[in-house]
Amino acid sequence: MIRQFTSAEFMFLLMAVRWTLLLSAIAFLGGAVGGLFVALARTSQWAWLRAIAGAYIQVFQGTPLLMQLFLVFFGANFFGLSIDPLMAAAIGLTLNGAAFLGEIWRGCIQAIPKGQWEAATALGLHYTTRMKEIILPQAAKIAVAPTVGFLVLLVKSTSLASIIGFVELTRAGQIVNNATFRPFLVFGIVAAIYFVLCWPLSLFSRRLEKKFGTVSR
């Protein structure tokens, strides 16, 4: 039986936003931790560590995110592990986010003028101290804007979690559409909600670009 699109359906869509935000937060925080290690590995003094980090980035940037989510979700079941859609989506997005953030931050670290590295070396600073006290604070300013830009992409990418059964905003839209058969209305509202979530972040990213003098790519 076809239902009418009412305020109950609209509230169902709005309530699904919390799961989109939760998944985005988990993936971003996890990706940030992993991305920092990847970025440091990519700029490491050891060639073997740079090679491993480079291979990790190539794998996750060179394969579709949807396939990565499939591999995590169905791969866990293949090995006899029970994993729910939220955990699978969080793991997949975190691994993907670590690769992209790692490469973004690697570029920011290497954007620091060579003179800063040479000055730190001349002072006899150990690698850890050099990175912590001199290089990373400067790189962080450069990294803020592109990192916020990646967060916008990540929020939209959570829609792919609907394919593995996680009921976030896009999946909620599919459920409502299946009950009401009003695809233009339902997905128009879903798109508007995504816009409301992402537009302020996009404006914030542009403002940070101007503040820190970074160039949009």
Side-chain angles (χ1 to χ4, degrees):
M1 179 178 178
I2 300 177
R3 296 206 312 259
Q4 293 295 316
F5 186 90
T6 64
S7 59
E9 282 70 30
F10 181 71
M11 287 305 300
F12 180 72
L13 294 177
L14 285 183
M15 292 300 291
V17 171
R18 58 182 173 172
W19 297 110
T20 291
L21 294 177
L22 175 63
L23 181 57
S24 299
I26 294 173
F28 182 73
L29 292 175
V33 173
L36 179 60
F37 284 106
V38 171
L40 292 176
R42 286 279 283 142
T43 56
S44 172
Q45 306 171 76
W46 297 290
W48 63 270
L49 195 55
R50 294 197 301 270
I52 292 175
Y56 175 84
I57 290 172
Q58 290 300 318
V59 168
F60 282 91
Q61 288 191 350
T63 56
L65 175 57
L66 181 58
M67 295 301 104
Q68 295 165 19
L69 294 177
F70 279 155
L71 288 173
V72 172
F73 185 63
F74 295 112
N77 292 324
F78 178 79
F79 289 106
L81 300 175
S82 178
I83 186 170
D84 61 80
L86 172 58
M87 183 176 294
I91 293 172
L93 287 167
T94 294
L95 293 174
N96 182 271
F100 279 88
L101 285 175
E103 189 65 359
I104 290 171
W105 294 346
R106 187 273 309 165
C108 295
I109 290 173
Q110 293 183 337
I112 302 303
K114 189 176 180 181
Q116 297 287 327
W117 296 82
E118 294 174 343
T121 303
L123 290 172
L125 297 179
H126 186 269
Y127 173 80
T128 303
T129 305
R130 185 165 70 236
M131 295 299 291
K132 180 182 176 182
E133 302 295 337
I134 297 179
I135 304 302
L136 290 182
Q138 297 180 74
K141 292 183 179 181
I142 303 174
V144 171
T147 300
V148 175
F150 175 77
L151 178 58
V152 174
L153 176 63
L154 181 61
V155 171
K156 293 183 287 187
S157 296
T158 59
S159 62
L160 293 176
S162 63
I163 304 297
I164 59 174
F166 180 59
V167 185
E168 41 63 69
L169 180 56
T170 297
R171 181 60 180 159
Q174 293 172 344
I175 293 172
V176 171
N177 178 63
N178 290 340
T180 62
F181 289 93
R182 300 287 299 277
F184 184 79
L185 174 62
V186 171
F187 290 112
I189 293 174
V190 169
I193 294 174
Y194 275 115
F195 180 78
V196 170
L197 293 176
C198 295
W199 186 54
L201 290 174
S202 297
L203 291 179
F204 184 52
S205 177
R206 293 195 193 101
R207 189 167 299 177
L208 290 173
E209 285 181 342
K210 293 179 180 178
K211 180 177 179 180
F212 294 116
T214 56
V215 180
S216 178
R217 296 293 181 186

